[in-house]
Amino acid sequence: MNPEQCYWSLVHNPAALRELGKATTMVGFCQYLRRFWCLPDYGDEALLAILWAGNRQTLAPDFSLLCQFWVPADYDPKRRVLEWMSAAEKPIHPFYSEHISAVRGQLLSVLIKPKTALLPAPNLSGLVEQVQPAGFIFHLYRCGSTLVSRSFAGLSKCRVLSESPLLTQVLLDGSLSDTQRRAALTFCINTQGQLFHPEQHLLIKWNAWDLQFWPLILSLYPQVPVLLLLRDPVEILASQQKSAGYHMVRQPSRPLFRELSVPEEESILEYQCKVLRLLLDYGLEMSQCSQVMVVDYQELLPAIANKIANWFSLDLSQEECSQVEQCQLIHSKTATQPFVADSQSKQSFFSAKQKEQIHRYCNWSNLHLFETKS
């Protein structure tokens, strides 16, 4: 086999990759490559050169084999290329970006990085299994969405994509036509969201700023139940003052929202109010759809194991309900810390005048217009 054939044969062999993934040293890794490729006389550098060359090319893969071991992790919009990583481990971190970092720290993922085109073929039916998500989670940020996603991610029958950078990268790529974006998003959900035994349900928690694309997302998945999480804007913005989210930092050169202008004289808090008002407007529009259930942060804890689980048709057993409830006792983003309610402290962060201004700027009086479902 020539080097290209060697690389292609390796990344399409799930059994060999699983064995290779057990290697913990470069010596063991290269020894396995020699046996697999039948190249007993090749030194380590020559073997690694085959991998480096393969990592630079864009594969035309057999997706039925590739998806048995790999999932796409990152997207290069300039070349419209996806970089894949091992799918051997289930994502259980609070955010999918943390899962990617953990996987990429492993020897196999450091040395083997397959790449494919974002839009490999106009029709992928039959090549990639179609995944129907069990539910989508949208939120305004700091509304308890991570608590919801982690509560279900710990269940063996659930796989959760929590704020996948890849899905957001595709949504934000302005060079894609609407048709291309729709095809690319579906392809990425089908490949990144593939289920492995004993998983039965895929849940996707979107980034807060993905809410601007809700019409596109829901048009692709009109039957998927949607959870929209709300919270008092005062509490949301209080949390931003300690650690601002990506969308709450003014970026004139790379605006996340085309609808927002960024006057130089505008304060950070005024800008953040405008962002939150925009997200609330998106959410209000989306909430009118029959597939959307709205839950306020104040009602969240008792709702996760029953109301929300039922909305997503997860059919939790008594043991699974207990597991979900136990998850609620720890901090959603830091597993070593217990959960401590912070609404009261957040309410006291701003002055009475500031709170009145925040509610007015964000049009919080429209809360009663959000459709709720029992």
Side-chain angles (χ1 to χ4, degrees), residues 108-249:
L108 182 141
S109 294
V110 169
L111 297 177
I112 308 178
K113 301 176 181 179
K115 294 179 176 63
T116 69
L118 173 68
L119 299 165
N123 184 2
L124 289 169
S125 59
L127 298 179
V128 176
E129 184 176 351
Q130 303 299 298
V131 176
Q132 181 72 359
F136 291 149
I137 302 169
F138 285 94
H139 55 100
L140 305 180
Y141 205 69
R142 311 282 165 82
C143 295
S145 60
T146 306
L147 176 60
V148 175
S149 61
R150 286 205 74 182
S151 295
F152 296 133
L155 301 177
S156 60
K157 67 183 182 183
C158 292
R159 172 170 287 252
V160 177
L161 298 182
S162 181
E163 302 187 10
S164 162
L166 171 61
L167 302 185
T168 296
Q169 287 169 334
V170 170
L171 287 171
L172 291 175
D173 185 358
S175 73
L176 297 172
S177 68
D178 182 66
T179 299
Q180 290 173 326
R181 184 180 288 106
R182 294 168 71 90
L185 188 64
T186 303
F187 175 70
C188 290
I189 288 176
N190 285 338
T191 49
Q192 196 173 69
Q194 59 190 304
L195 300 176
F196 297 89
H197 181 77
E199 297 166 348
Q200 305 169 37
H201 309 283
L202 171 67
L203 298 174
I204 298 178
K205 177 166 83 86
W206 300 88
N207 270 301
W209 49 95
D210 295 338
L211 193 55
Q212 64 187 300
F213 298 102
W214 77 262
L216 183 153
I217 296 169
L218 268 58
S219 70
L220 290 173
Y221 297 93
Q223 305 304 318
V224 173
V226 175
L227 171 67
L228 172 62
L229 294 173
L230 306 180
R231 189 176 187 178
D232 187 329
V234 166
E235 296 177 19
I236 294 175
L237 292 176
S239 72
Q240 302 296 326
Q241 309 317 302
K242 181 179 180 181
S243 175
Y246 177 65
H247 62 307
M248 288 296 189
V249 179

Side-chain angles (χ1 to χ4, degrees), residues 85-100:
M85 70 176 190
S86 167
E89 294 185 15
K90 177 179 176 175
I92 57 173
H93 291 80
F95 300 101
Y96 199 75
S97 58
E98 295 173 334
H99 172 68
I100 292 173

Side-chain angles (χ1 to χ4, degrees), residues 285-306:
E285 293 175 4
M286 187 177 71
S287 72
Q288 311 307 305
C289 299
S290 60
Q291 71 192 95
V292 180
M293 179 176 72
V294 179
V295 174
D296 188 271
Y297 180 79
Q298 293 180 337
E299 306 167 354
L300 188 58
L301 282 182
I304 296 177
N306 46 71

Side-chain angles (χ1 to χ4, degrees), residues 248-351:
M248 288 296 189
V249 179
R250 287 184 293 188
Q251 303 176 74
S253 61
R254 294 184 295 122
L256 275 176
F257 306 99
R258 288 175 295 178
E259 298 95 326
L260 290 186
S261 59
V262 189
E264 290 185 6
E265 68 277 6
E266 189 175 65
S267 71
I268 292 295
L269 183 58
E270 287 173 329
Y271 175 76
Q272 292 176 345
C273 283
K274 288 169 65 173
V275 171
L276 192 48
R277 166 67 181 271
L278 187 60
L279 293 178
L280 277 163
D281 288 345
Y282 291 138
L284 180 56
E285 293 175 4
M286 187 177 71
S287 72
Q288 311 307 305
C289 299
S290 60
Q291 71 192 95
V292 180
M293 179 176 72
V294 179
V295 174
D296 188 271
Y297 180 79
Q298 293 180 337
E299 306 167 354
L300 188 58
L301 282 182
I304 296 177
N306 46 71
K307 185 177 181 179
I308 295 174
N310 292 338
W311 184 248
F312 291 149
S313 299
L314 299 183
D315 191 24
L316 301 186
S317 66
Q318 186 174 354
E319 181 181 351
E320 288 169 332
C321 283
S322 177
Q323 187 176 343
V324 168
E325 291 166 353
Q326 287 296 312
C327 187
Q328 297 169 11
L329 299 178
I330 62 174
H331 194 283
S332 61
K333 299 179 178 66
T334 310
T336 57
Q337 298 179 10
F339 169 76
V340 178
D342 61 357
S343 288
Q344 186 174 354
S345 64
K346 285 182 166 56
Q347 283 290 340
S348 63
F349 185 88
F350 296 108
S351 68

